[in-house]
Amino acid sequence: MSPATTTKHLALAGIVSIVLSACASNTATTVPVGGQPQLKSGFMRLTFSVAGQLDFSKYQYSVTFNTTGSALTPEFGTKADWKAFSATFRSMNGSGAPSVEVIQYISDPNDPHQPPAQVPEAVTPSQLQFDARSSTFSVTFQRSIAGDGSQQPAVNWRFNASSQTASHIVDTMGRCASCFKSPQLAVNTSFVETIAAQGQPDIAPGARIVSVEFQNSP
């Protein structure tokens, strides 16, 4: 995969005809979710909530995963440990409507101390769907796309979330760039878990993260 790979921006209209529910078999492990298609085995749904109304004209909203199995939380700022960065699901204003893209972090094995390349990942509508509401958006995705490009995801994940302008991070899950320590997400189990942000009251409501909810089907 190269940086020239075309990113599939999956817009709001695609949420209606989800292959997930159409292809679910009777033997698949599913997690019922009110008002949304059931999760097929091997999928996760994240729901990102802010204090005000989502403002895609000003902000991008992201959830970054460490899917290597290590206990490192993805942290932002000048001292970011890139070993904790596997993939980011970034929601933004694309082609006139909110959309989402998947970014993989590809390290140079000959120079591991340099920041990794951020490579857009090509995905299909059967692998990823996006739905934006007033103050929340959800991304339903096949977990296998959350690797770093060099390996399949492990069974224990960590995460962080951020809101940002084009030039800087506005808010994260913690009170500072390195304050949040992610709980372990054991993706080989079925769970629904909501993790509340630690909160920064001086952040504009449209950028202030309230919580991220994870629904997982092993």
Side-chain angles (χ1 to χ4, degrees):
M1 187 180 300
S2 69
T5 301
T6 301
T7 304
K8 298 283 188 180
H9 293 274
L10 298 163
L12 183 60
I15 193 67
V16 177
S17 57
I18 300 301
V19 178
L20 265 176
S21 57
C23 296
S25 69
N26 292 331
T27 59
T29 302
T30 59
V31 178
V33 179
Q36 292 182 308
Q38 289 184 325
L39 286 180
K40 187 179 177 181
S41 178
F43 280 75
M44 176 182 284
R45 178 180 292 119
L46 68 87
T47 301
F48 188 115
S49 299
V50 297
Q53 185 166 346
L54 293 166
D55 188 348
F56 292 99
S57 67
K58 291 183 180 179
Y59 306 112
Q60 298 177 0
Y61 306 94
S62 301
V63 174
T64 297
F65 289 106
N66 171 11
T67 65
T68 67
S70 77
L72 294 173
T73 297
E75 297 175 352
F76 306 99
T78 57
K79 295 183 178 180
D81 187 341
W82 293 110
K83 292 191 297 295
F85 285 67
S86 299
T88 290
F89 292 76
R90 181 177 298 154
S91 178
M92 69 203 126
N93 201 8
S95 302
S99 63
V100 67
E101 66 177 357
V102 183
I103 302 296
Q104 289 185 330
Y105 296 86
I106 310 298
S107 297
D108 182 351
N110 297 318
D111 194 358
H113 300 293
Q114 291 298 317
Q118 299 184 32
V119 180
E121 182 175 3
V123 295
T124 68
S126 65
Q127 293 177 302
L128 186 150
Q129 302 86 40
F130 174 72
D131 181 24
R133 308 294 174 95
S134 176
S135 60
T136 67
F137 69 84
S138 64
V139 182
T140 303
F141 62 95
Q142 189 174 27
R143 289 195 308 272
S144 60
I145 69 175
D148 63 6
S150 63
Q151 61 183 8
Q152 288 294 308
V155 298
N156 294 320
W157 295 15
R158 309 283 173 162
F159 86 100
N160 205 340
S162 65
S163 59
Q164 63 189 81
T165 65
S167 59
H168 69 281
I169 298 288
V170 178
D171 196 17
T172 67
M173 292 294 290
R175 292 184 179 275
C176 67
S178 59
C179 293
F180 176 68
K181 300 304 177 186
S182 171
Q184 178 176 283
L185 303 175
V187 299
N188 60 339
T189 65
S190 176
F191 62 83
V192 178
E193 184 172 0
T194 301
I195 296 95
Q198 295 172 359
Q200 299 188 55
D202 56 338
I203 302 295
R208 188 164 74 246
I209 302 170
V210 172
S211 64
V212 180
E213 179 184 85
F214 297 100
Q215 302 158 357
N216 184 69
S217 180

